[in-house]
Amino acid sequence: MSQASSRFTDPFDVARHPNLEPEVKRAILASWASDAAAVPDQPALRRPADVERPVPVDDVLAALRALDDGALPRTRH
């Protein structure tokens, strides 16, 4: 899975990817949301393996919710 997740920098890019199965998208996003990816002393940020910059956990959870609701925005913000 790290190969699949390494090409993404934003959780909504994962959720919107047209060639990934929903289960794969959820697995990638769940790994990003995991406490194992937490940035030390910054609990609101996650730094998944192979991802260049930390991402807010709120963004990861929002992407998961949007994926589950089928309400993915075309672009973020």
Side-chain angles (χ1 to χ4, degrees), residues 9-76:
T9 58
D10 183 271
F12 281 95
D13 291 343
V14 175
R16 283 192 299 265
H17 195 279
N19 297 326
L20 293 177
E21 295 293 324
E23 296 80 17
V24 173
K25 294 175 184 183
R26 283 186 191 90
I28 291 170
L29 291 170
S31 73
W32 285 23
S34 168
D35 286 343
V39 175
D41 300 320
Q42 296 182 9
L45 294 176
R46 297 295 186 266
R47 186 177 208 137
D50 300 325
V51 174
E52 196 173 301
R53 294 176 305 174
V55 295
V57 70
D58 288 344
D59 289 357
V60 177
L61 297 175
L64 276 167
R65 276 191 303 275
L67 182 62
D68 289 341
D69 293 344
L72 289 169
R74 285 182 172 238
T75 59
R76 191 169 160 217

